[in-house]
Amino acid sequence: MISRFVVSLRLFAVVLVLAYTVAAQTVPAPKDVIGFTPGEDRKLASWDKIIEYFKRLDAASDRVRFEEIGKTTMGAPFVYATITDPKNFANLEKIKEINAKLADPRTFKSNDKAAADLIKQGKTIVLITFGVHSTEVGSTLSSMLIAERLARAEDAETRKILENTVILLVPSLNPDGVDIVKKWYDKTLGTAFEGTDPPELYHKYTGHDNNRDWYAFTQVETQLTVDKLHNIWHPQIVHDIHQQGSRGARMFLPPYLKPVEPNVPPQIIEGFTELGNFIANDLRKQGFEGITTDSTYDAWTPARAYSHYHGGVRILSETASARIATPIDVKFDDLRGDQGFDAKKESANFSPVWKGGKWGLPDITKYMTTGAHSLLRHASENRAKWLQRFYQIGKEAVRPRKAGEAFAYIIDGDASRFEGYLKRTLVRAGVELTSVGEFSLDGKRYPNGTSVILMNQPYSAFVTAMIEPQKYPDLLDVNGSPVPPYDVTAHSLALLTDSKLIRVNRLLTFQQFLGAGVGRGMGNGDGCEEIDYRQTYKSSQPVMDEGWTRWVIENNLSYHPMCSEYVSTNDAKIRAGRFNRVKSIVFPDQNPNQILNGYAKGAMPDELTGGIGKEGVANLRKFVEAGGTLVFLNRASDFAIEQFGLPVRDVTEGLSRKDFFIPGSILRTKIDTRHPTAKEMPAESIAWFENSPAFEISESDDTNVEIIARYPEKKEDILLSGWALGAEKIAGKAALVSINIGKGKIVLFGFRPQYRGQSLATFPLFFNAIGQ
């Protein structure tokens, strides 16, 4: 006979299940809002629909809070969701406070027992970011699927995740691009151009470079994420969800290829190695194929990894792409590997082999959502370990410095042209700058208000990475050819901003007082009666350097000649010779063939094909001869040399990688300060060298050529930061020249003077060139 107690218990269980079922049914599915299930082929959601879904999720679930924290570059809402157990929401400010204390052990009685008490109460903070690259559409679509599962599921594993973690979910780091890509995809759906990339940058200024901004913070979206999420929450884990090429691995996860930037704490390396391998093995156990680790992507530059210098691991996942939202068929024979693995052969860091076949959004979103859930499970099950590791990073950072280590850096205001910019950037990254009273050191007197960076502070690793020059290792393959880095090899903001910092290797006592340093800028002139026009060339084929050029111009108004207005020109206008009242045209860094020929016929709609063509070249020559100025940056200089028959030779042309390889490095230049283009420049400066030319002037016709900047004569004097193989090939060669043609001139930059909005040291050269 069943007791009344047992019956009551069973009834209670039934009621509880029904209650959970009813609650789950109130949580909306993405399909209820956007009209389809994320991951369906050939279907994309607009940004307003994605926002609507998260708002509905917030209203329906006590596990989700959704909020707007600012506006994007183009004015769209920038948003994120907090997802956790309802009990954690009731205690959220305390959880945040605990995490902040662990990040900076100076804020409490800094000992391991006190830390252990905080760790018992704390939660693992996980920041998941999606869609920084907008053509990687599976990422933002997956954000809705992940959020729905966390809001709806009642299994023990999910409940534990919610109990032990606080999840900060950013559906897109580039909301403007969501709609740019969707608009183009929908327009071309069912045509021969379905699945092509949009014929415009998918971020107004930076395009794909928007995830190269995590130490310079030039863009609104980066600033919002750093200011409102990273620096408030101090996440132990950042999961950055991306897509990669379609013919390699199905998914990449850390650990990263060597080299790892030397200022990344060893606990971070330990953390991303452990977590990346855990996710990869978990996916393999569930039957996922084509998983690689320790390949393809390195962890060298802070431009992609803010968290590595702020106590948190960055777990980059890269899932193979389709053609935007259009599925593809990949033949096994067409699979290829990358650095560290062969996609057709199983190895210790690549398994099991994917045999090829159909690949589309259903596959992409499945890999992404499963990988994210695996990451959250590890974050939950190892809560105490993650917080203990986080505390150890902070403890190591704030300890007293030892003999031989840097105790402090002094910012020499007298020798730093852009001191204010550097200081603002460091402060945004959470670095503490101390204003000190007048003092002397090593025979130099520093005035009141001099800024000092004491190194026993939480983010001193970021300081060192930004201030010290980089020494990238000479990595060669078995054939003696250089192994290229994933991105670039230099990131010294001190060099890029022409700032001088003095390293202090002994303990000093500074007299502290309240005060702030003031940066220096360029002055404006007075008003004028008539406006002239300066133009930036905008090819039909979008290039990131064009976007950066626009950003630099629009965001550095103090450089602008007051009597000028800057606008874009294009292939059609140049072919038509439309130069009315135009004084100068700048051609950003771009492949010369793209400038001349643009898209080939049939590759894109007819109105987008063809470059400036021979007709445009002829019109540009007439423009210069009549008194105009043409400015060519980096690779665009090779276009000018060839098309205008200039008495200049690019000495890097035809050199093999074995003989010459400088992949994104900072070089020293000598400046002719007498030249008008070098106004306000010092006698020695820098050049950002990346796929760059260097110039040799023809002896038979050098009367019309003026050398404004050149590289040092000695090979060992050329490299300032990064990696330079074969630097002797450009020793003594010109880096910046001006060629007189008729009444006008052509200016050739053998480098990028406005590199990613960071190289303030060479901004004056750029603005002087286009403003004359």
Side-chain angles (χ1 to χ4, degrees):
M1 185 173 180
I2 302 174
S3 69
R4 290 183 179 179
F5 175 75
V6 173
V7 171
S8 299
L9 194 61
R10 288 179 177 175
L11 285 172
F12 176 75
V14 170
V15 170
L16 195 62
V17 170
L18 288 173
Y20 279 148
T21 302
V22 170
Q25 287 175 346
T26 64
V27 173
K31 186 176 182 178
D32 299 336
V33 178
I34 67 174
F36 62 93
T37 299
E40 290 184 29
D41 288 329
R42 294 185 169 86
K43 293 182 180 179
L44 297 177
S46 63
W47 185 238
D48 62 341
K49 283 295 184 182
I50 294 169
I51 287 179
E52 183 183 343
Y53 175 68
F54 277 96
K55 286 181 176 178
R56 291 268 301 273
L57 207 56
D58 180 340
S61 173
D62 58 0
R63 304 176 184 178
V64 180
R65 289 183 186 174
F66 182 67
E67 60 182 298
E68 178 181 328
I69 54 174
K71 298 295 184 184
T72 67
T73 299
M74 298 173 71
F78 193 85
V79 299
Y80 83 105
T82 306
I83 305 176
T84 192
D85 187 275
K87 292 179 182 178
N88 289 338
F89 274 125
N91 208 27
L92 208 57
E93 289 306 311
K94 184 177 181 181
I95 293 171
K96 192 185 299 181
E97 180 184 351
I98 288 169
N99 217 47
K101 286 183 176 181
L102 292 173
D104 183 1
R106 298 173 303 173
T107 59
F108 65 101
K109 188 178 179 182
S110 182
N111 59 58
D112 293 344
K113 184 180 182 305
D117 291 339
L118 290 175
I119 288 170
K120 288 178 183 177
Q121 306 170 62
K123 308 295 179 184
T124 313
I125 310 300
V126 181
L127 171 61
I128 310 181
T129 59
F130 303 83
V132 68
H133 295 147
S134 303
T135 50
E136 299 166 12
V137 295
S139 181
T140 293
L141 291 169
S142 292
S143 72
M144 293 180 279
L145 297 171
I146 293 168
E148 180 198 14
R149 177 174 180 175
L150 292 169
R152 183 189 298 274
E154 294 296 345
D155 59 278
E157 186 173 273
T158 301
R159 299 292 297 187
K160 186 175 182 181
I161 288 172
L162 293 168
E163 179 184 343
N164 287 338
T165 69
V166 174
I167 303 154
L168 312 171
L169 190 151
V170 182
S172 175
L173 287 171
N174 181 22
D176 297 333
V178 172
D179 287 333
I180 290 171
V181 171
K182 175 177 167 54
K183 181 179 178 181
W184 176 253
Y185 184 78
D186 290 349
K187 178 180 179 180
T188 56
L189 191 61
T191 74
F193 312 111
E194 178 182 322
T196 58
D197 288 349
E200 62 178 310
L201 295 174
Y202 53 68
H203 177 280
K204 181 178 179 180
Y205 296 116
T206 67
H208 196 83
D209 263 359
N210 59 351
N211 81 321
R212 308 291 198 267
D213 193 40
W214 294 100
Y215 66 75
F217 319 126
T218 65
Q219 301 304 303
V220 171
E221 295 82 4
T222 317
Q223 294 166 5
L224 288 170
T225 308
V226 167
D227 295 349
K228 302 294 181 67
L229 296 176
H230 281 281
N231 292 354
I232 299 298
W233 282 101
H234 311 287
Q236 284 81 39
I237 300 171
V238 177
H239 186 19
D240 193 8
I241 298 182
H242 284 245
Q243 289 173 220
Q244 60 183 351
S246 60
R247 301 189 184 280
R250 297 302 91 190
M251 177 179 266
F252 161 85
L253 289 157
Y256 300 96
L257 277 176
K258 292 180 175 59
V260 175
E261 205 278 327
N263 294 292
V264 176
Q267 298 94 336
I268 294 291
I269 299 172
E270 174 190 81
F272 67 58
T273 300
E274 176 185 320
L275 182 50
N277 282 330
F278 174 85
I279 301 168
N281 291 330
D282 194 37
L283 288 171
R284 290 172 182 137
K285 289 175 185 177
Q286 297 182 58
F288 288 84
E289 299 176 337
I291 309 293
T292 184
T293 59
D294 194 18
S295 69
T296 314
Y297 304 93
D298 61 38
W300 178 259
T301 172
R304 304 194 315 274
Y306 182 83
S307 56
H308 282 180
Y309 304 85
H310 292 79
V313 304
R314 176 188 182 234
I315 296 297
L316 168 68
S317 67
E318 295 270 0
T319 304
S321 295
R323 283 175 56 83
I324 310 296
T326 300
I328 58 175
D329 286 305
V330 182
K331 296 179 181 178
F332 181 75
D333 289 343
D334 291 336
L335 290 173
R336 54 175 176 75
D338 211 313
Q339 287 188 46
F341 78 100
D342 182 341
K344 298 176 185 176
K345 186 185 300 182
E346 187 167 311
S347 60
N349 65 325
F350 177 73
S351 68
V353 173
W354 183 66
K355 300 300 192 298
K358 182 181 177 182
W359 184 261
L361 277 179
D363 308 289
I364 295 168
T365 53
K366 186 176 181 181
Y367 271 73
M368 288 178 172
T369 55
T370 308
H373 191 79
S374 179
L375 178 144
L376 292 173
R377 184 157 61 84
H378 190 282
S380 168
E381 293 174 353
N382 298 275
R383 181 197 63 80
K385 184 176 182 180
W386 278 110
L387 293 179
Q388 178 66 28
R389 181 185 280 130
F390 182 67
Y391 162 67
Q392 289 297 333
I393 295 169
K395 180 182 176 183
E396 169 65 18
V398 303
R399 65 164 174 77
R401 301 296 97 173
K402 301 174 183 177
E405 296 178 328
F407 281 80
Y409 285 90
I410 302 167
I411 300 179
D412 187 346
D414 291 338
S416 300
R417 283 192 297 153
F418 301 100
E419 174 190 11
Y421 173 87
L422 178 66
K423 288 161 65 173
R424 287 192 300 273
T425 302
L426 292 173
V427 168
R428 171 156 261 143
V431 174
E432 299 169 0
L433 271 63
T434 304
S435 279
V436 300
E438 184 178 348
F439 69 97
S440 295
L441 180 68
D442 296 333
K444 180 176 172 63
R445 192 150 198 83
Y446 295 90
N448 274 351
T450 295
S451 292
V452 174
I453 306 168
L454 302 176
M455 292 300 283
N456 57 333
Q457 60 170 293
Y459 308 127
S460 54
F462 183 83
V463 173
T464 308
M466 292 297 98
I467 290 175
E468 296 289 349
Q470 285 69 58
K471 295 181 179 179
Y472 196 84
D474 288 338
L475 297 179
L476 305 177
D477 63 21
V478 293
N479 299 314
S481 295
V483 178
Y486 181 69
D487 186 28
V488 298
T489 62
H491 46 261
S492 172
L493 269 184
L495 289 171
L496 288 167
T497 61
D498 194 17
S499 299
K500 184 177 181 181
L501 292 98
I502 294 87
R503 175 176 167 140
V504 180
N505 289 326
R506 61 185 185 275
L507 183 62
L508 297 175
T509 300
F510 294 103
Q511 179 188 352
Q512 299 186 20
F513 74 107
L514 295 177
V518 178
R520 300 177 182 177
M522 305 287 289
N524 282 330
D526 297 324
C528 55
E529 297 179 0
E530 184 175 322
I531 293 178
D532 294 325
Y533 292 94
R534 272 71 179 174
Q535 295 185 334
T536 301
Y537 170 66
K538 189 174 185 178
S539 169
S540 294
Q541 288 187 274
V543 292
M544 289 178 287
D545 201 57
E546 182 273 328
W548 281 118
T549 304
R550 278 186 289 109
W551 184 87
V552 166
I553 289 171
E554 292 175 19
N555 287 273
N556 289 272
L557 296 176
S558 60
Y559 284 102
H560 285 211
M562 289 294 291
C563 302
S564 296
E565 182 174 326
Y566 290 83
V567 295
S568 292
T569 190
N570 57 33
D571 296 321
K573 290 178 181 178
I574 292 175
R575 289 196 300 263
R578 293 166 57 182
F579 304 125
N580 184 37
R581 287 171 54 193
V582 174
K583 295 299 182 182
S584 66
I585 304 172
V586 58
F587 284 74
D589 176 33
Q590 189 169 9
N591 180 286
N593 183 62
Q594 290 180 353
I595 298 172
L596 182 64
N597 298 314
Y599 286 115
K601 284 284 186 182
M604 292 291 270
D606 286 346
E607 65 271 17
L608 298 172
T609 59
I612 69 170
K614 292 295 183 181
E615 184 180 6
V617 172
N619 288 333
L620 289 172
R621 177 177 285 279
K622 293 176 184 176
F623 167 76
V624 174
E625 290 173 343
T629 297
L630 295 178
V631 179
F632 294 88
L633 309 184
N634 214 45
R635 292 175 301 162
S637 293
D638 287 331
F639 167 87
I641 292 170
E642 180 180 353
Q643 297 303 321
F644 298 108
L646 302 179
V648 176
R649 182 176 75 88
D650 174 10
V651 299
T652 73
E653 186 177 0
L655 294 178
S656 71
R657 272 193 175 181
K658 282 187 178 182
D659 295 328
F660 183 77
F661 187 57
I662 305 180
S665 300
I666 302 172
L667 308 186
R668 178 183 278 110
T669 57
K670 304 291 185 179
I671 307 293
D672 180 359
T673 57
R674 299 166 299 176
H675 197 280
T677 301
K679 180 183 177 183
E680 302 192 44
M681 287 293 294
E684 186 174 287
S685 187
I686 66 161
W688 178 267
F689 198 101
E690 182 181 5
N691 298 319
S692 301
F695 309 121
E696 186 174 72
I697 313 305
S698 171
E699 295 181 3
S700 61
D701 189 7
D702 60 359
T703 56
N704 291 318
V705 181
E706 300 168 307
I707 298 176
I708 304 165
R710 67 170 69 244
Y711 298 109
E713 295 287 345
K714 294 182 179 179
K715 168 190 173 181
E716 56 270 21
D717 293 337
I718 294 174
L719 179 66
L720 289 171
S721 183
W723 192 19
L725 295 179
E728 68 277 2
K729 303 294 184 184
I730 61 172
K733 304 304 181 184
L736 171 60
V737 299
S738 179
I739 302 105
N740 298 314
I741 298 179
K743 297 179 180 179
K745 60 179 170 291
I746 292 177
V747 181
L748 305 181
F749 281 87
F751 54 95
R752 293 168 65 184
Q754 39 34 311
Y755 167 71
R756 290 180 180 170
Q758 300 172 18
S759 55
L760 275 73
T762 48
F763 278 14
L765 290 173
F766 173 68
F767 282 104
N768 289 338
I770 66 177
Q772 293 175 10

